[in-house]
Amino acid sequence: MTILAAAGCGSVDETEHWRDQLSAAGPCWDVNLGDGIDDPDELGLLLTCVDQSGDFTPLRPLVQAMSLSAADGASNWSHVEALVSAAPDADLSVGSLLDAALLLLDQDPGVFGELLDVSVELLYGRAFDRLVAGDVELAQSAELDRGVLAPMLPPVRAVARAMLDDPGGSPALLGDLMAAQGTRDALCTLVGIARSTDPTIGPLADRVLSALGAAIALTRDADNDRWADASGDSLRDLADALFDGRDASSGALWLDSGRPAFAAMLGDTGLRDRMADALLALHAGDHIAPLFQQMRHLAELDAQGTSLDLPPEDAPPGARVSALASFLRLIDSGSRPVTCVGVGFDNLSVTLLQLLAGLDADTVEFGVGVLGPLLDSWLGGLSLEVLAFACDGVDDEMVWDLESIDRFNDPETGDLLVILLGVLDAVAPEDGSPDRVSELVDVLALAWRAGLVPPAEEALRDVGNTDLARDVAQVLPLVVDPSPLEVAECPTGSQPLDFEALWDIAEVTLVGDDGPAALDTLRPVAAPVLEDHATWIAVGNLGALLRDEGARLRQAPDLGARLVAADPDLAVFDDLSVAFGDDALLTPTLNLLGSVPLSDAVSGTTPDRPGPMPWFARLVLDDTLARTIDTLRLAVSWLEGLQADDGGSGDEAP
């Protein structure tokens, strides 16, 4: 109502006394707020009453949409009534939210204005200063199409409808996620990075979003695509494969095929602890930092080390793929019994990885092939050239793929061999603990059979040598050893994520915890988002905004840390958890979000009839909302002063 008053009071004609303007007729007379708003017609009369100057005309489509259908066919108004009716009985922490808002108003009042600025940037996909300068025609629908929010409305509708069809699945999971300790700890990690004074950590928060914007642009560069089925957007292709990739040998979703192996590995606490130790040692040796850059190198040459841009040298028909793909194809094709010169191996791939695990990273000569010594220990000096003739079950393609092992110790990729050996040492311990090599073989082979490798390689070629990839590699060790992070402003009762917590999250995601895997539960909700082209338009628009040096969205990490500082108990997350678990709140909300007429009313606009989005943007750009918030801050300060004075006169009201 404060905003309505601020925007509407300018319509009073000062040449005529206000008493002479009073009339016991018209829309204001017909509205009775004493018993609430009964229907959309009365809501329309209320809007007409306060809209004497036309300042609120852009909101009229929202009022008209109230009479139209929601996702379930009932009117949107009926769901608004249901929501209003259910809210008082819901276990929402309104008091805590108000306390957090008042704390922000008192200690960091600028944060509200910054949130408004960012919201307008997301509306139009342009930096705030450009919008203030008038470079954008706010009422043009084409300008909203260049933003992030308007293109996302159709996917949001689809998600809402999917959640209505699965009330006990994804909504319950999301509610649990809001209340989970892991969520608080993840926020603590983000806050710890944003507030770190370490010169190698603190700058990550300042540059990560600009790096993300640059990386999004690169994922849309089709010039380096080599996969025949590439769409030209490697991020989209990889997301599709991860959520819908299927095991070529069984037709099952890759997660279903790999679940036994995932369960065995992620349920092994000994493996978890050995992996943590291995990653600490790898970080101490500075081997993790170039991880993605060196993996990208493996995606750009074949098993013999020849660039994929050059003609192949004696490759078997159809065998020539990248060295990375050759290695994973070898693991898949070699995962079977093989007999060589009378010696039988139950599983060739398991044998190869066990032999690799026996190599000592400290004694391997950098830049020198490791396949020869491996063959010596395996087959007593049998040369690669005769392997296909000497071994039953080994063909020319497998011989070709064997050479990919040497690529891990090329001069450009030496750290990858150290990482591989470190991981294998953890998977194949020498202390008598369970050996998980066979499960690792199953997982690596599945990556090839499920078609995950081609889109992953396209993404590596696009972003493997970017600032974003280097920043991600720099963050990984902080999960193993979070001690350098600054935790003073973390949420109450939280600590930075550590490797054990991350391992548990992986288990819940891929295997499940007394229920289905989280990835399975989220698939019905994720599917409509990934399938809708509008999602990827929004992603592209987001990338363009983040690449703008003047975008205030780039400061989101700092903004998020300030919001957490104001609400350390995370009352917002508690309320979201309640809402996801309360059908009386959730069902009407989802029906409203899934309403096509309401969604169209929100985003609809023309130059001669601006809609709600341009109306909101103008309130932000001309500082109307900022002045309103400042007025509220002064009023709150005055009231607190009265309370402190134990009921003083209050003559010095703001």
Side-chain angles (χ1 to χ4, degrees), residues 220-422:
R220 291 159 182 248
D221 179 8
D223 291 343
N224 61 356
D225 288 353
R226 292 192 175 94
W227 181 36
D229 293 330
S231 68
D233 185 340
S234 59
L235 178 60
R236 181 175 187 175
D237 292 340
L238 182 57
D240 287 341
L242 289 174
F243 271 91
D244 199 37
R246 293 183 178 272
D247 187 340
S249 65
S250 66
L253 289 167
W254 68 268
L255 184 56
D256 293 336
S257 291
R259 187 165 285 114
F262 290 132
M265 296 183 74
L266 294 171
D268 187 340
T269 57
L271 174 60
R272 178 198 66 200
D273 295 341
R274 293 192 300 272
M275 284 292 295
D277 292 340
L279 290 175
L280 281 175
L282 290 168
H283 173 54
D286 201 26
H287 297 297
I288 294 179
L291 171 64
F292 296 107
Q293 183 179 3
Q294 295 190 10
M295 289 184 67
R296 180 178 183 266
H297 182 76
L298 286 186
E300 293 186 317
L301 43 79
D302 64 21
Q304 292 189 340
T306 303
S307 169
L308 291 173
D309 293 328
L310 300 175
E313 298 179 5
D314 303 324
R320 194 179 191 233
V321 292
S322 74
L324 180 61
S326 278
F327 179 72
L328 294 172
R329 183 172 63 186
L330 171 66
I331 297 299
D332 178 46
S333 59
S335 183
R336 60 187 181 190
V338 169
T339 300
C340 293
V341 291
V343 179
F345 303 95
D346 292 336
N347 188 301
L348 175 61
S349 295
V350 169
T351 299
L352 283 174
L353 293 188
Q354 287 174 334
L355 289 171
L356 277 170
L359 297 179
D360 187 347
D362 294 331
T363 60
V364 171
E365 186 176 353
F366 183 68
V368 176
V370 296
L371 182 58
L374 203 65
L375 290 175
D376 285 343
S377 60
W378 175 27
L379 297 173
L382 191 66
S383 69
L384 190 65
E385 289 75 13
V386 301
L387 200 60
F389 303 100
C391 296
D392 179 27
V394 175
D395 57 21
D396 290 339
E397 183 179 89
M398 291 176 66
V399 173
W400 170 273
D401 288 343
L402 273 166
E403 295 197 62
S404 66
I405 295 174
D406 272 345
R407 303 287 74 75
F408 281 86
N409 202 33
D410 281 346
E412 299 86 354
T413 57
D415 292 289
L416 277 182
L417 179 63
V418 179
I419 292 174
L420 177 62
L421 296 182

Side-chain angles (χ1 to χ4, degrees), residues 83 163-164 167 171-172 578-591:
L83 196 57
M163 292 177 74
L164 284 168
V578 169
F580 277 117
D582 189 335
D583 187 62
L585 291 175
L586 183 65
T587 298
T589 301
L590 293 178
N591 273 293

Side-chain angles (χ1 to χ4, degrees), residues 466-489:
T466 62
D467 289 339
L468 180 66
R470 285 185 282 273
D471 288 347
V472 170
Q474 190 172 344
V475 168
L476 289 177
L478 294 177
V479 177
V480 184
D481 177 18
S483 59
L485 299 180
E486 177 58 57
V487 300
E489 297 182 28

Side-chain angles (χ1 to χ4, degrees), residues 95-317:
S96 297
L97 285 174
L98 288 176
D99 288 343
L102 293 176
L103 182 64
L104 272 178
L105 280 172
D106 179 50
Q107 297 184 356
D108 194 2
V111 73
F112 288 103
E114 292 175 47
L115 286 171
L116 293 173
D117 296 349
V118 168
S119 67
V120 176
E121 288 188 336
L122 292 172
L123 274 177
Y124 290 95
R126 320 290 176 79
F128 185 78
D129 290 342
R130 292 185 57 192
L131 295 168
V132 172
D135 295 347
V136 177
E137 293 290 337
L138 300 180
Q140 291 278 4
S141 61
E143 298 293 352
L144 288 172
D145 290 340
R146 295 183 60 177
V148 178
L149 301 184
M152 281 304 299
L153 288 176
V156 166
R157 290 199 306 262
V159 166
R161 291 169 181 251
M163 292 177 74
L164 284 168
D165 293 336
D166 184 30
S170 53
L173 175 63
L174 292 173
D176 291 342
L177 181 64
M178 292 296 103
Q181 182 63 41
T183 301
R184 292 175 175 267
D185 292 347
L187 283 173
C188 182
T189 296
L190 297 177
V191 170
I193 293 174
R195 291 292 179 256
S196 176
T197 57
D198 188 315
T200 64
I201 298 174
L204 289 172
D206 297 330
R207 65 175 182 251
V208 65
L209 291 183
S210 60
L212 175 61
I216 289 174
L218 292 172
T219 62
R220 291 159 182 248
D221 179 8
D223 291 343
N224 61 356
D225 288 353
R226 292 192 175 94
W227 181 36
D229 293 330
S231 68
D233 185 340
S234 59
L235 178 60
R236 181 175 187 175
D237 292 340
L238 182 57
D240 287 341
L242 289 174
F243 271 91
D244 199 37
R246 293 183 178 272
D247 187 340
S249 65
S250 66
L253 289 167
W254 68 268
L255 184 56
D256 293 336
S257 291
R259 187 165 285 114
F262 290 132
M265 296 183 74
L266 294 171
D268 187 340
T269 57
L271 174 60
R272 178 198 66 200
D273 295 341
R274 293 192 300 272
M275 284 292 295
D277 292 340
L279 290 175
L280 281 175
L282 290 168
H283 173 54
D286 201 26
H287 297 297
I288 294 179
L291 171 64
F292 296 107
Q293 183 179 3
Q294 295 190 10
M295 289 184 67
R296 180 178 183 266
H297 182 76
L298 286 186
E300 293 186 317
L301 43 79
D302 64 21
Q304 292 189 340
T306 303
S307 169
L308 291 173
D309 293 328
L310 300 175
E313 298 179 5
D314 303 324

